[in-house]
Amino acid sequence: MVFDQLSGPVTTARRSGNLRREVGLIGLMWASVGSIIGSGWLYGAKNGVTAAGPAALISWGVGAVAIGLLALVHAELGGMFPVSGGTARYPHYAFGGVVGMSFGWFSWLQAVTVAPIEVEAVIGYAGHWSWAAGLQHADGTLTLSGFVFATVLMCVFVAVNFLGVKVLAHTNSTATWWKIFVPLLTIFVVALAHFDTGNFTSHGFAPYGSKGVLAAISTSGIIFALLGFEQAIQLAGESSNPGSHIPRAVLGSVVIGGVVYVLLQVVYIGALPSAALRHGWAALAYQGISGPWAGLAGVLSLGWLATFLYIDAVVSPAGTALIYTTSTSRVSYGLAANGYFPQALARTNRRGVPWLGLLVSLVVGVVCFLPFPSWQQLVSFITSASVLMYAGAPLAYGALRRNLPRHHRPYRLPAGGVISPLSFVIATLIIYWSGWGTLWRLGLAVLLGYGLMGCYALYARAMNLPQAPSMQMRPAQWLPVYLLGVGLISWQGGFGGAGRIPLGWDIALITVLSLVVYYWAVAVALGTAEIQAAIRNAEAL
């Protein structure tokens, strides 16, 4: 036995495939909390009020409830199937090859793009110091030197991951204690320094109406900030006691993150000087606003806190980028286990690390700096990809509850028959609210994934490889209707689309589409014997 000071007692001999089960409850929870509290806290409060005014508090509430419902569904699935890369594998178990390939790609696409966005945040705040002033252009895009610096940071994250999951858990847990302490310190100090309750109504509580409130959820970084609870799921195959620890880590991380972010938004609104609001919330302005919290601390004559925040602006996003680099390699591992990626991505080194998956995440992460070279440009895209990934879990949950009723569930979700379809509806609404400008780009990325993974699947079947996935079409008949339906409503809707569908009617259409697809998918899912065979085959690879 080895005692991990942060993760509890573990047995190094226990393994999941070639992955070592060395992560305890605190290690899992801090992996999720460390992902939730990243660059989102540095920008989310400011971007929320410029999009929705003080009503951004409603946006945070809706976002927290939405993520909470999705986390509840994931908590039951994570306890049932403690496998690495779980978000990429649950739809595969329930619906077979085509759906598994689709949601597996969504999971990988989300994971591989978060580390680059956190690196962008590091560089954005580091611009406060003279040595980093030349890393970005005036519009926030990277210069050549900025691109090189971003690449070096990505290499550092990969290098730490190569040391093994135990070293990673220690490193991430240490960083996460810091990442929780700094926002809480900021809330306390800034609130004491200046808090004007008049700011909540001086320019109207909801100056941009319900559309501003809803758009802020997806486009201002609110959902992006709350993402990350799934990290415990992705590391489930390396948990020392997954049945007990996974549900606790998932739900606990959402509660901690949600409370911190709501408090940050309240304090930010109250602490703003009246001069900053002279031209309204959309034109919010004060010295140093490019680094919202550090700039606000400077305006309030809290120079020591501003310095502290500039340091944290490097530590917090870097910690999140580190754990998402880990997540990407575990999703790759899961996809390889399901037969959608080459088996080489499931190979581990002597430390139990899927090393090739790490190298692939490095290369793709660096490429992401090219088409999306600034923090804000990446937010909506990642939010949509993330929620699209999460949407697979409620569907898998419904199918597995129906067709595997006796499967061992360490955590059983109360009222799951209501929460599951509701969470699917909310996930689809968040995707829609991200806007047509984001969704058409996401559609191209989805097509790219189908091309790459489809070609590999055909190759594997042509070569009679043992891991060749079975591409069942019947359980996937609802998928094109869902993807095209959301795209069509977005194209004609009022969130970046043609505006032909009025607000309210578009939400009703999305709700109806989601419910129809949910019950349709559950009805045509794989049968009990097929699901059990899919689970056995995946575990054997």
Side-chain angles (χ1 to χ4, degrees), residues 1-12 14 21-28 166 169-170 173 239-241 245:
M1 294 287 289
V2 176
F3 189 82
D4 184 332
Q5 292 178 342
L6 296 174
S7 305
V10 298
T11 303
T12 57
R14 284 180 294 163
R21 292 197 177 274
E22 295 185 330
V23 186
L25 174 60
I26 299 300
L28 289 170
K166 194 173 180 181
H170 278 292
S173 294
S239 169
S240 60
N241 186 4
H245 293 169

Side-chain angles (χ1 to χ4, degrees), residues 129 163 170 174 180 294 403 406 412 442 518-519:
W129 290 293
L163 298 177
H170 278 292
T174 302
I180 293 175
N403 297 328
R406 297 184 182 85
R412 179 175 286 271
L442 183 61
Y518 178 87
Y519 291 107

Side-chain angles (χ1 to χ4, degrees), residues 406-419:
R406 297 184 182 85
H407 196 284
H408 176 60
R409 288 170 167 81
Y411 168 76
R412 179 175 286 271
L413 174 61
V418 175
I419 291 176

